[in-house]
Amino acid sequence: MTDSESDIEVSLEDSGETKNILYDIVTYKEWEQDPELQRNGGSDRSDPASAVSKLWRSSGQMTPAVPASVERLRQAGLAWQLAVSPDAGLMAVLGDTCLEVWSSKDNYTQLLGRRPVERDPAPQWRHVLWTRDCQLLALASSSGHVEVCDTVGGHVYHVISPRIAASQPGWVDSARSGPLRTSYAGVFFTEVRVRDVTRDTGWVSEMVVCEVSGAITSFLVSLSGYQELSRYDLGWSVTSAALCSTLGLLITSGSDSCPLTCHRSLVGKASHAGLVTLRLVSQEPHYVVLLDEFEQSLLTSSSWLRLPSLISSSPASDPILTMTVSDCGGKLAAVHVSGTLTVWRLPSLLLESSSRLEEQPQFDEVNPALLQHSSKRKAKAEFLANPLRYNPVGVAWWSKDNLVVARISGAVTVLQMTELDNLLGDNPEFLEGVPRISQCFQKGFFALECELVVRGRRVSAKESAGEDPDEDIEAETDEEEEDGWLGLGKRSAAALAYFITDSERFAPPKKKSKVVRRTYRLLALVSTSPEELYNRKILLEEYGEAIMLAQHYGLDTDNVYRRQWQQSNKSGAAIQ
């Protein structure tokens, strides 16, 4: 996160002629993780199993559950998950191995519950969410396993169904680092069908789960149990899903396996981008696909089997990474893997706006902390070498026309989509790492950030005698290593030979290990008035910034000097 001076810069630009948001960054919680010892640059190439597995995956023998472009962006996201109740009264933070539930009392310092959870091989594909009345909290793992908890995060029951493979006896997860076809593109709570289907039966909500494979299942849930309500199969895999409870719509984004995606005859329609809407209805089959006659004919006929891309004139697909529906239910915002932001009207799914990555304001800004600190040379080099560094990975509705966008670079902006302006000012607000943002509330939104510090560790105790073994030094680069098939083949063969012969001839080269320290923070970006921000700066004893605010907005600076006097020793020197 940038220094607090950035708030002052934004506020000074705010005037009667601009539409910028005067905001403040509030830090609520901080979790400092135990140091982790990372060897060989984070991947153990001496393990023949991992090397051969990587060679097998790169040869295309393992079919990915989602497109590689989607998985790369997902993996770049934060591993921790955040769920804020609709009234912002409760907050669930799902860490690597722990679930915590916090109350909004005393600025989210009241812990209601904490318990351990199993480590997930693909934590970015987990889901955590509250029911509207906050009675239930759902946890969904990347394997498809679903657990229902109570208000304080305590276990209530596991959802067991033939439709959930991970809930079946004897199921064993595979060695993986990505999602399965049974992972969820979206998990939602809705009351659209509860009133009609289950009148006076005590059900709290309906939980809808949409698998990556395209299978959709819903369950009626309560504190005492659950019951399967509906099931539906799209027939193709999906990359993301969103629910509009206001209109009773489930919107899915299909991958290349969707017969409508990038079809030449559908250019200009939502289905060309893979978007397919289903209306939730109480009667069988519980889902009605909203497509016109021509789109339906493409699904029912065999003609949808498209020609190979070499002889097809249709443009390449641009899968959707994530989607979100506005509070009023009238718009859908989507983030594509290319970095494009699109806004669609609901329920018609007419395209309202589309902005490519390079058209978005301040998309290529870099965190000043990364540029200014000489000790972060390697981090800067790695960041600039990342082709996805400016891509958006999170989006939320600030208002009906403005979107909050979070990027891999850590930049957070509030975009006015009609004019493509950043309402936070001339610069984005930078958070540490790749931030995860919540839905927006009346005055702002919550976010999780992760500060990562990598330090080199000396190989032997003799070398580090009398010194700190965890030095803040630049880690060694791997530029001398060969990339591509040749380098991968050589490393895999050498690792396998070393595993079989145990000969030092084939031993992988030893490198300095690294100590990784992670610190997670729970923050909030809150819109504020000049008076509120002025008083907050005084309470934080940031008197210089408080005086700048007072001078700009015509506030009384006597409050600053009065506070300084009250905090001083009241001596003759203080008076002078």
Side-chain angles (χ1 to χ4, degrees):
M1 185 181 65
T2 57
D3 296 335
S4 57
E5 282 79 0
S6 62
D7 302 337
I8 295 298
E9 294 172 2
V10 172
S11 66
L12 292 181
E13 294 164 0
D14 185 48
S15 66
E17 300 177 355
T18 65
K19 301 178 182 178
N20 288 348
I21 299 170
L22 180 65
Y23 70 95
D24 194 14
I25 298 292
V26 182
T27 302
Y28 290 110
K29 290 291 300 176
E30 185 173 292
W31 296 268
E32 186 173 348
Q33 304 299 291
D34 294 334
E36 301 176 15
L37 187 62
Q38 192 179 74
R39 300 183 183 277
N40 296 334
S43 60
D44 191 358
R45 294 196 176 113
S46 64
D47 182 4
S50 63
V52 175
S53 175
K54 184 177 180 180
L55 183 63
W56 177 264
R57 287 196 303 271
S58 62
S59 65
Q61 299 300 316
M62 295 180 66
T63 304
V66 295
S69 56
V70 174
E71 174 59 11
R72 282 194 295 269
L73 286 169
R74 278 274 196 159
Q75 289 285 5
L78 201 63
W80 284 30
Q81 302 290 336
L82 174 68
V84 187
S85 62
D87 62 355
L90 295 172
M91 183 175 301
V93 179
L94 182 59
D96 296 322
T97 59
C98 182
L99 169 67
E100 295 182 354
V101 176
W102 297 84
S103 170
S104 61
K105 294 181 179 179
D106 300 324
N107 286 329
Y108 296 95
T109 58
Q110 183 176 352
L111 179 64
L112 298 181
R114 177 191 289 127
R115 70 179 182 86
V117 295
E118 291 188 8
R119 187 178 294 274
D120 197 297
Q124 291 85 357
W125 288 90
R126 298 180 298 175
H127 298 267
V128 55
L129 67 157
W130 293 95
T131 56
R132 188 179 63 174
D133 59 4
C134 305
Q135 289 191 46
L136 299 177
L137 176 70
L139 305 180
S141 69
S142 66
S143 65
H145 180 270
V146 180
E147 180 182 0
V148 175
C149 307
D150 57 20
T151 303
V152 297
H155 170 76
V156 179
Y157 53 79
H158 298 290
V159 177
I160 300 176
S161 169
R163 298 275 289 185
I164 302 178
S167 69
Q168 300 304 299
W171 182 87
V172 179
D173 200 353
S174 58
R176 59 186 174 89
S177 59
L180 301 170
R181 286 183 57 81
T182 56
S183 300
Y184 296 121
V187 181
F188 314 98
F189 280 120
T190 179
E191 289 74 44
V192 172
R193 295 184 287 203
V194 171
R195 293 183 295 271
D196 299 331
V197 178
T198 62
R199 187 170 298 163
D200 300 328
T201 55
W203 298 113
V204 171
S205 184
E206 177 188 0
M207 180 172 61
V208 181
V209 296
C210 180
E211 294 182 8
V212 167
S213 65
I216 303 171
T217 312
S218 75
F219 303 89
L220 300 171
V221 293
S222 70
L223 280 170
S224 58
Y226 62 93
Q227 174 184 309
E228 183 177 314
L229 175 64
S230 66
R231 57 176 63 183
Y232 188 86
D233 281 300
L234 287 171
W236 57 82
S237 60
V238 298
T239 60
S240 180
L243 184 76
C244 178
S245 293
T246 305
L247 301 175
L249 302 177
L250 177 64
I251 305 102
T252 62
S253 60
S255 64
D256 291 339
S257 62
C258 175
L260 306 178
T261 302
C262 287
H263 198 286
R264 287 174 291 178
S265 303
L266 299 176
V267 175
K269 293 187 176 183
S271 56
H272 183 268
L275 290 173
V276 175
T277 302
L278 297 88
R279 184 176 297 279
L280 308 182
V281 295
S282 301
Q283 296 79 24
E284 293 282 351
H286 295 297
Y287 301 91
V288 177
V289 180
L290 304 182
L291 297 173
D292 60 28
E293 292 185 7
F294 179 68
E295 292 168 330
Q296 290 281 8
S297 66
L298 291 177
L299 291 180
T300 56
S301 67
S302 59
S303 62
W304 65 263
L305 294 173
R306 292 168 290 178
L307 297 175
S309 58
L310 292 176
I311 59 176
S312 173
S313 60
S314 61
S317 65
D318 188 10
I320 293 176
L321 176 69
T322 183
M323 302 185 293
T324 182
V325 177
S326 61
D327 291 340
C328 64
K331 296 181 181 181
L332 173 78
V335 177
H336 298 253
V337 296
S338 65
T340 299
L341 294 174
T342 55
V343 176
W344 309 78
R345 296 179 184 175
L346 294 177
S348 60
L349 274 184
L350 293 176
L351 181 63
E352 180 176 285
S353 66
S354 176
S355 58
R356 299 190 304 272
L357 178 63
E358 59 272 15
E359 297 174 339
Q360 298 161 23
Q362 305 159 12
F363 78 96
D364 56 352
E365 292 285 334
V366 181
N367 193 336
L370 193 64
L371 300 176
Q372 296 170 1
H373 291 280
S374 59
S375 61
K376 295 185 177 182
R377 290 193 307 272
K378 187 185 178 186
K380 176 184 174 181
E382 290 178 349
F383 171 79
L384 295 177
N386 182 4
L388 304 175
R389 58 189 178 275
Y390 301 129
N391 279 56
V393 290
V395 64
W397 286 97
W398 179 272
S399 63
K400 65 176 183 178
D401 296 317
N402 304 323
L403 284 174
V404 181
V405 179
R407 304 182 187 275
I408 288 180
S409 62
V412 176
T413 54
V414 178
L415 297 186
Q416 187 180 39
M417 297 303 295
T418 55
E419 301 178 8
L420 285 182
D421 291 330
N422 177 22
L423 299 184
L424 297 186
D426 289 339
N427 298 290
E429 178 67 33
F430 281 95
L431 304 184
E432 293 288 345
V434 183
R436 183 176 297 280
I437 59 176
S438 73
Q439 74 272 32
C440 293
F441 296 91
Q442 185 176 5
K443 297 188 65 176
F445 60 90
F446 296 91
L448 278 175
E449 69 171 10
C450 179
E451 181 181 3
L452 183 68
V453 177
V454 180
R455 299 190 177 190
R457 186 178 182 88
R458 294 186 181 274
V459 177
S460 65
K462 181 182 296 184
E463 294 175 333
S464 59
E467 301 181 19
D468 184 3
D470 298 339
E471 289 188 296
D472 194 6
I473 61 176
E474 288 289 325
E476 297 176 2
T477 61
D478 300 334
E479 295 176 351
E480 72 279 1
E481 295 183 357
E482 296 180 81
D483 293 325
W485 278 90
L486 181 60
L488 180 60
K490 287 182 177 180
R491 292 193 298 270
S492 301
L496 187 60
Y498 180 64
F499 177 75
I500 295 174
T501 64
D502 200 25
S503 171
E504 291 298 325
R505 176 184 177 185
F506 302 107
K510 294 182 179 180
K511 298 181 181 179
K512 288 184 179 180
S513 58
K514 304 172 187 176
V515 175
V516 180
R517 304 176 188 270
R518 290 183 174 88
T519 302
Y520 291 87
R521 295 185 187 92
L522 173 64
L523 314 168
L525 187 149
V526 184
S527 62
T528 183
S529 66
E531 293 78 11
E532 290 174 339
L533 185 57
Y534 174 59
N535 292 329
R536 175 173 170 78
K537 294 298 181 182
I538 293 177
L539 290 175
L540 295 176
E541 299 183 9
E542 298 174 358
Y543 302 123
E545 297 180 8
I547 291 176
M548 291 175 61
L549 279 169
Q551 292 173 345
H552 180 73
Y553 290 103
L555 304 177
D556 187 5
T557 57
D558 288 347
N559 294 332
V560 177
Y561 301 116
R562 185 181 301 111
R563 175 72 174 182
Q564 285 181 298
W565 168 253
Q566 293 171 349
Q567 297 296 109
S568 69
N569 294 327
K570 299 180 178 59
S571 62
I575 296 176
Q576 297 175 356

